[in-house]
Every structure is written in C-alpha cells, then in structure tokens.
Amino acid sequence: MTTGAPEATATGAAIRAEGFGLKGPRGWAFRGVAVDAAPGSLVAVTGPSGSGRTCLLLALTGRMKPAEGWARVGDLQLPRKMAAVRRISALGQVPGVSELDPALTVAEHLRERVMLQRRYDGSVRALFRSPARRRAESRALIDEALAAAGLDLASLPKGDRTSVRDLERLEALRLTVALAMIQRPRLLAVDDTDMKLSEAERAAAWALLRSIADGGTTVLAVCGDAPAEADTTVTTTQAGAEDGATSEEGAADAFATTGSA
C-alpha cells in the first residue's frame, strides 16, 4: 500500500502500523490497516464512504483508541502513548471534531489558537517576557503558519477581519492548516481534503499539503482519490459491523466512547 518515500531528513513523525483496527459498540470502524510512512511523507487515506477513513486519521493522531493491531507514530506506541501522540500532532479540518466557528473572524481564530498554544506549551520563562515581546513572538508565529498554509490575508474580502462564513472552501482549508501549524506539529492530519473542490482548487490543496510535507511535517490526508503527489497511499475497506449496524454508526459510537479532540 505504499508507493515511495522521501529522504529521511524531515523532522516529521514516521507512521508504522500493522493489523490496525478500531471497534465501537456497534461494530468495526476499520480493521486490518497497514501503514509504512517515512518522516515528512504525504500520506493519502482513501476508501469508500463509511470505511473508517476519518476514524483511522483520528486513531493515528491519538484521538481514538484502537482495538487491535499496533501502530507507532515517531517513537510513540499506540494506544499506550495516545496523549503523547496528541501533543506532537495537530488537526486541520475534521468535520465534527475541529471545525471553524463561522461567527468568528480569521484574526479571532488565529489569536485564540496562539493563546491556547502559549497556555499549554509555553515555558515558565515566557511568562516574564514583556508584553511587547510576547506580541512580537505571537505575530511571528502567526506569520510563519500563514506562510506555510499559503493564506494571504490581504486577498480576503476584509483582510483578517473576514468572517469564516465568508471564506471560500479552499481559503477555509488553508485557515485550518494555518491554525494547526501554529502548534508546529510533527504530524498534520486533514479530513475531506478534496471534497467539494474544483479541479483547480483540488490541485492547489494538494500542492499545499505537498509543500508542508516537503518542509518536514508528516501529513495524513483523507481524500476521495489519491493524488500523484502522495508518497504513500493507505486504503480502508468496509470493515463490517455487528448486529446489523452500519460502519458509519460504528465509527460514530467509537468516537463517542473513545475519542478525544
């Protein structure tokens, strides 16, 4: 299921898995998945609707607990090190888990994410820095994330005061990626990468994720069709469910009982 790999000079996390599966109260969300992705890879996750693609993405980022097999993200074993995997991974768009608030502006989303990043990952020394220095550091972090996501605030209708509800779908995708990159993750996960995008927008979205992977961050992207840009393709299949439940119901129940955004 793998098709090549980049040079191992990246700072991203390698992903390895074998016989990986996740089960909820009503059945399997996915099972029997194998992954072998080098650091800095662009990994495309494909499969039919209801085959557990989103659940696989969440399981490999430490947000859902697997039921069988094994996986390792960097040097962290799942499920034993789920919390540690969450700390080195970040979610872009994942419907129902990490959605943008349509009532907030782009600037408000960015400021909120920087504040959360500072609160949970900031050093004690940072607390004694002057307000001016903290503002400068926050601005630099935001600028770095926006550049990585290819989001030009000047091109938006009202600049950074543009409401999320007024963003085009590709712009919203870029914003979710920028918010994730503020965390400087080793693993970036994005769901529904190519959904409802035109051919040109789809090409731009994959070029974005390819550039992030080339910059060293491992990227895990759920999609309808694997692009030529992908280093590795993982395909989920209909796992089946018990007691007449659909795999979609199994996936929803699995997240409700084991998941953590």
Side-chain angles (χ1 to χ4, degrees), residues 52-62 91 94 189-191 220-222:
R53 297 174 303 176
T54 302
C55 287
L56 176 60
L57 179 149
L58 293 170
L60 288 173
T61 56
L91 300 181
V94 181
V190 183
D191 197 8
L220 190 63
V222 171

Side-chain angles (χ1 to χ4, degrees), residues 159-181:
D160 64 1
R161 295 182 292 108
T162 302
S163 295
V164 164
R165 64 168 62 92
D166 295 326
L167 295 176
E168 299 293 338
R169 185 169 179 82
L170 181 58
E171 293 169 340
L173 171 63
R174 290 187 186 278
L175 176 58
T176 65
V177 169
L179 294 173
M181 294 304 289

Side-chain angles (χ1 to χ4, degrees), residues 45-47 53 193-194 206 222-226:
V45 179
T46 67
R53 297 174 303 176
T193 301
D194 52 7
W206 285 116
V222 171
C223 56
D225 297 299

Side-chain angles (χ1 to χ4, degrees), residues 6-242:
E7 295 294 328
T9 57
T11 57
I15 305 175
R16 307 277 187 265
E18 190 68 41
F20 202 49
L22 185 146
K23 188 177 185 182
R26 302 188 189 184
W28 290 96
F30 66 84
R31 68 186 312 190
V33 170
V35 185
D36 185 3
S41 293
L42 174 54
V43 184
V45 179
T46 67
S49 177
S51 63
R53 297 174 303 176
T54 302
C55 287
L56 176 60
L57 179 149
L58 293 170
L60 288 173
T61 56
R63 290 158 174 86
M64 297 185 78
K65 187 175 182 180
E68 68 177 11
W70 64 269
R72 183 178 291 273
V73 179
D75 59 355
L76 303 171
Q77 190 82 22
L78 289 171
R80 190 165 59 90
K81 295 290 187 177
M82 288 177 65
V85 171
R86 288 197 296 272
R87 286 194 292 271
I88 68 167
S89 64
L91 300 181
Q93 65 178 18
V94 181
V97 180
S98 59
E99 294 178 309
L100 298 171
D101 187 334
L104 296 182
T105 67
V106 172
E108 288 168 337
H109 272 290
L110 291 167
R111 285 197 299 268
E112 179 182 61
R113 186 58 61 91
V114 168
M115 289 175 62
L116 289 172
Q117 180 71 7
R118 186 186 299 140
R119 175 177 299 177
Y120 293 110
D121 293 328
S123 65
V124 174
R125 183 179 298 176
L127 298 176
F128 297 96
R129 292 171 183 159
S130 69
R133 183 175 178 184
R134 289 200 298 270
R135 286 193 298 271
E137 290 174 345
S138 295
R139 184 69 255 174
L141 185 58
I142 288 173
D143 288 344
E144 177 185 313
L146 290 172
L151 182 58
D152 180 9
L153 298 183
S155 69
L156 301 180
K158 297 181 181 179
D160 64 1
R161 295 182 292 108
T162 302
S163 295
V164 164
R165 64 168 62 92
D166 295 326
L167 295 176
E168 299 293 338
R169 185 169 179 82
L170 181 58
E171 293 169 340
L173 171 63
R174 290 187 186 278
L175 176 58
T176 65
V177 169
L179 294 173
M181 294 304 289
I182 285 174
Q183 299 174 232
R184 291 175 172 162
R186 296 180 62 197
L187 171 61
L188 168 68
V190 183
D191 197 8
D192 290 346
T193 301
D194 52 7
M195 181 176 288
K196 296 182 180 179
L197 295 179
S198 68
E199 185 175 346
E201 290 170 334
R202 190 176 299 116
W206 285 116
L208 160 63
L209 298 182
R210 178 72 264 171
S211 70
I212 290 174
D214 289 344
T217 303
T218 304
V219 179
L220 190 63
V222 171
C223 56
D225 297 299
E229 292 88 347
D231 299 301
T232 300
T233 299
V234 178
T235 303
T236 57
T237 57
Q238 197 77 25
E242 299 173 351

